[in-house]
Protein backbone atom coordinates (compact mmCIF):
# COMPACT_ATOMS: atom_id res chain seq x y z
CA UNK A 1 0.00 0.00 0.00
CA UNK A 2 1.04 3.52 -0.67
CA UNK A 3 1.09 6.46 1.73
CA UNK A 4 -0.73 8.47 -0.84
CA UNK A 5 -4.39 9.19 0.06
CA UNK A 6 -6.80 7.46 -2.20
CA UNK A 7 -9.46 9.23 -4.15
CA UNK A 8 -12.04 8.03 -1.68
CA UNK A 9 -10.08 9.49 1.24
CA UNK A 10 -9.63 12.79 -0.61
CA UNK A 11 -13.36 12.91 -1.31
CA UNK A 12 -14.11 12.15 2.37
CA UNK A 13 -11.78 14.95 3.50
CA UNK A 14 -13.42 17.35 1.05
CA UNK A 15 -16.87 16.33 2.31
CA UNK A 16 -15.76 16.87 5.92
CA UNK A 17 -14.26 20.26 5.06
CA UNK A 18 -17.42 21.25 3.20
CA UNK A 19 -19.52 20.01 6.13
CA UNK A 20 -17.52 22.14 8.57
CA UNK A 21 -17.93 25.18 6.31
CA UNK A 22 -21.66 24.54 6.03
CA UNK A 23 -21.99 24.10 9.80
CA UNK A 24 -20.11 27.37 10.30
CA UNK A 25 -22.33 29.11 7.74
CA UNK A 26 -25.40 27.56 9.38
CA UNK A 27 -24.30 28.95 12.79
CA UNK A 28 -23.74 32.40 11.26
CA UNK A 29 -27.22 32.34 9.76
CA UNK A 30 -28.72 31.11 13.04
CA UNK A 31 -26.94 33.86 15.01
CA UNK A 32 -28.11 36.46 12.48
CA UNK A 33 -31.67 35.17 12.72
CA UNK A 34 -31.54 35.32 16.54
CA UNK A 35 -30.26 38.93 16.40
CA UNK A 36 -32.95 39.89 13.91
CA UNK A 37 -35.62 38.26 16.07
CA UNK A 38 -34.34 40.07 19.19
CA UNK A 39 -34.27 43.36 17.23
CA UNK A 40 -37.84 42.77 16.06
CA UNK A 41 -39.04 42.02 19.60
CA UNK A 42 -37.31 45.17 20.89
CA UNK A 43 -38.75 47.23 18.04
CA UNK A 44 -42.24 45.87 18.70
CA UNK A 45 -41.94 46.63 22.45
CA UNK A 46 -40.59 50.15 21.79
CA UNK A 47 -43.34 50.85 19.25
CA UNK A 48 -46.01 49.72 21.72
CA UNK A 49 -44.48 51.88 24.46
CA UNK A 50 -44.34 54.88 22.12
CA UNK A 51 -47.96 54.31 21.13
CA UNK A 52 -49.01 54.25 24.80
CA UNK A 53 -47.08 57.47 25.48
CA UNK A 54 -48.77 59.17 22.53
CA UNK A 55 -52.19 58.14 23.85
CA UNK A 56 -51.31 59.25 27.38
CA UNK A 57 -50.07 62.64 26.30
CA UNK A 58 -52.94 63.14 23.89
CA UNK A 59 -55.09 62.65 26.97
CA UNK A 60 -52.93 65.18 28.81
CA UNK A 61 -54.37 67.97 26.64
CA UNK A 62 -57.89 67.01 27.63
CA UNK A 63 -56.83 66.65 31.26
CA UNK A 64 -55.37 70.16 31.26
CA UNK A 65 -58.81 71.42 30.23
CA UNK A 66 -60.51 69.42 33.01
CA UNK A 67 -58.12 70.31 35.85
CA UNK A 68 -59.51 73.85 36.42
CA UNK A 69 -62.95 72.28 36.88
CA UNK A 70 -61.49 69.93 39.49
CA UNK A 71 -59.77 72.89 41.17
CA UNK A 72 -63.03 74.81 41.36
CA UNK A 73 -64.88 71.80 42.74
CA UNK A 74 -62.18 71.31 45.41
CA UNK A 75 -62.35 75.00 46.33
CA UNK A 76 -66.13 74.89 46.55
CA UNK A 77 -65.97 71.86 48.85
CA UNK A 78 -63.49 73.66 51.13
CA UNK A 79 -65.95 76.52 51.57
CA UNK A 80 -68.94 74.40 52.59
CA UNK A 81 -69.91 75.39 56.14
CA UNK A 82 -69.35 72.64 58.71
CA UNK A 83 -73.06 72.52 59.63
CA UNK A 84 -73.97 71.74 55.97
CA UNK A 85 -71.59 68.82 55.31
CA UNK A 86 -74.37 66.27 55.86
CA UNK A 87 -76.72 67.92 53.34
CA UNK A 88 -77.49 65.60 50.41
CA UNK A 89 -76.39 68.10 47.77
CA UNK A 90 -73.00 68.55 49.51
CA UNK A 91 -72.55 64.79 49.70
CA UNK A 92 -73.44 64.62 46.01
CA UNK A 93 -70.70 67.11 45.14
CA UNK A 94 -68.28 65.20 47.39
CA UNK A 95 -69.16 62.03 45.48
CA UNK A 96 -68.52 63.78 42.16
CA UNK A 97 -65.15 64.97 43.47
CA UNK A 98 -64.22 61.41 44.49
CA UNK A 99 -65.30 60.08 41.07
CA UNK A 100 -63.21 62.74 39.35
CA UNK A 101 -60.13 61.81 41.42
CA UNK A 102 -60.68 58.08 40.82
CA UNK A 103 -60.95 58.65 37.07
CA UNK A 104 -57.69 60.62 37.07
CA UNK A 105 -56.00 57.90 39.11
CA UNK A 106 -57.02 55.20 36.59
CA UNK A 107 -55.52 57.39 33.86
CA UNK A 108 -52.20 57.49 35.73
CA UNK A 109 -52.66 61.08 36.94
CA UNK A 110 -51.38 61.87 40.41
CA UNK A 111 -51.52 65.06 42.44
CA UNK A 112 -48.13 66.53 43.33
CA UNK A 113 -47.45 66.63 47.08
CA UNK A 114 -46.86 70.15 48.33
CA UNK A 115 -47.40 71.44 51.89
CA UNK A 116 -44.52 70.45 54.16
CA UNK A 117 -42.39 69.22 51.26
CA UNK A 118 -39.10 70.75 50.14
CA UNK A 119 -39.51 73.00 47.10
CA UNK A 120 -38.58 71.21 43.86
CA UNK A 121 -38.54 73.44 40.75
CA UNK A 122 -39.25 70.42 38.55
CA UNK A 123 -42.60 69.88 40.30
CA UNK A 124 -43.45 73.20 41.93
CA UNK A 125 -43.75 76.82 40.86
CA UNK A 126 -43.09 79.34 43.62
CA UNK A 127 -45.66 82.16 43.43
CA UNK A 128 -44.74 83.73 46.78
CA UNK A 129 -42.16 83.65 49.56
CA UNK A 130 -42.98 84.03 53.19
CA UNK A 131 -41.02 84.09 56.44
CA UNK A 132 -42.23 81.62 59.03
CA UNK A 133 -40.52 80.93 62.32
CA UNK A 134 -39.45 77.35 62.95
CA UNK A 135 -39.68 76.36 59.28
CA UNK A 136 -36.64 75.38 57.23
CA UNK A 137 -35.91 77.49 54.14
CA UNK A 138 -37.43 76.25 50.87
CA UNK A 139 -40.24 74.39 52.64
CA UNK A 140 -43.66 74.65 51.01
CA UNK A 141 -46.09 76.46 53.29
CA UNK A 142 -49.23 76.75 51.15
CA UNK A 143 -50.60 75.51 47.87
CA UNK A 144 -52.38 77.97 45.58
CA UNK A 145 -53.04 75.57 42.72
CA UNK A 146 -52.60 71.82 42.66
CA UNK A 147 -50.06 70.31 40.30
CA UNK A 148 -50.34 66.96 38.54
CA UNK A 149 -48.19 64.30 36.91
CA UNK A 150 -49.13 61.64 34.41
CA UNK A 151 -47.00 58.51 34.53
CA UNK A 152 -44.40 60.49 36.50
CA UNK A 153 -44.19 63.40 34.03
CA UNK A 154 -45.41 66.83 35.11
CA UNK A 155 -48.43 68.08 33.16
CA UNK A 156 -49.05 71.04 35.46
CA UNK A 157 -46.74 72.45 38.13
CA UNK A 158 -48.12 73.03 41.62
CA UNK A 159 -48.21 76.75 42.48
CA UNK A 160 -46.94 77.20 46.03
CA UNK A 161 -45.80 79.61 48.72
CA UNK A 162 -42.31 78.82 49.97
CA UNK A 163 -40.56 79.70 53.23
CA UNK A 164 -37.55 82.00 53.07
Amino acid sequence: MTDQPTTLEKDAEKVLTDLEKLQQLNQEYLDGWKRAKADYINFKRDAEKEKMEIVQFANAGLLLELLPILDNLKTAMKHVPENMTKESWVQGFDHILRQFRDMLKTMGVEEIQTVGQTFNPEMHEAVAKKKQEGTAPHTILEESTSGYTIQGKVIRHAKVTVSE
Side-chain angles (χ1 to χ4, degrees):
M1 261 186 135
T2 69
D3 287 338
Q4 294 269 331
T6 65
T7 307
L8 189 58
E9 290 172 334
K10 286 181 186 175
D11 287 346
E13 283 180 30
K14 183 174 181 347
V15 168
L16 285 174
T17 305
D18 288 348
L19 180 61
E20 286 176 11
K21 286 180 184 176
L22 288 172
Q23 285 175 329
Q24 194 174 19
L25 189 60
N26 182 40
Q27 188 62 45
E28 286 176 27
Y29 288 154
L30 182 61
D31 291 344
W33 175 81
K34 286 178 181 178
R35 278 191 302 277
K37 182 179 178 185
D39 288 345
Y40 175 72
I41 290 168
N42 289 337
F43 170 77
K44 194 173 171 183
R45 185 186 64 235
D46 291 346
E48 189 64 31
K49 182 180 174 187
E50 188 175 307
K51 183 176 152 185
M52 290 298 290
E53 286 178 357
I54 288 170
V55 169
Q56 287 173 343
F57 289 99
N59 289 340
L62 173 62
L63 291 172
L64 286 172
E65 295 292 323
L66 294 174
L67 291 177
I69 298 168
L70 176 62
D71 292 337
N72 291 333
L73 189 54
K74 283 172 35 178
T75 302
M77 291 303 293
K78 284 180 188 176
H79 290 92
V80 172
E82 189 66 35
N83 64 339
M84 296 184 78
T85 57
K86 299 294 182 200
E87 295 285 332
S88 60
W89 66 270
V90 174
Q91 290 179 354
F93 276 105
D94 189 48
H95 181 70
I96 292 168
L97 182 59
R98 270 187 272 120
Q99 277 185 308
F100 211 133
R101 285 181 170 150
D102 290 345
M103 176 201 63
L104 293 176
K105 191 174 186 177
T106 60
M107 295 177 80
V109 176
E110 293 182 26
E111 195 168 336
I112 296 172
Q113 299 297 310
T114 56
V115 177
Q117 302 290 315
T118 302
F119 178 77
N120 177 351
E122 293 176 5
M123 307 285 258
H124 309 115
E125 179 183 336
V127 293
K129 284 189 174 187
K130 190 170 163 182
K131 286 188 180 188
Q132 185 167 330
E133 293 295 320
T135 304
H138 309 291
T139 300
I140 298 172
L141 302 173
E142 298 170 10
E143 177 184 289
S144 319
T145 307
S146 297
Y148 296 90
T149 61
I150 185 167
Q151 303 299 327
K153 295 182 183 180
V154 175
I155 57 172
R156 186 173 85 180
H157 290 80
K159 296 183 180 180
V160 296
T161 301
V162 182
S163 64
E164 291 183 331

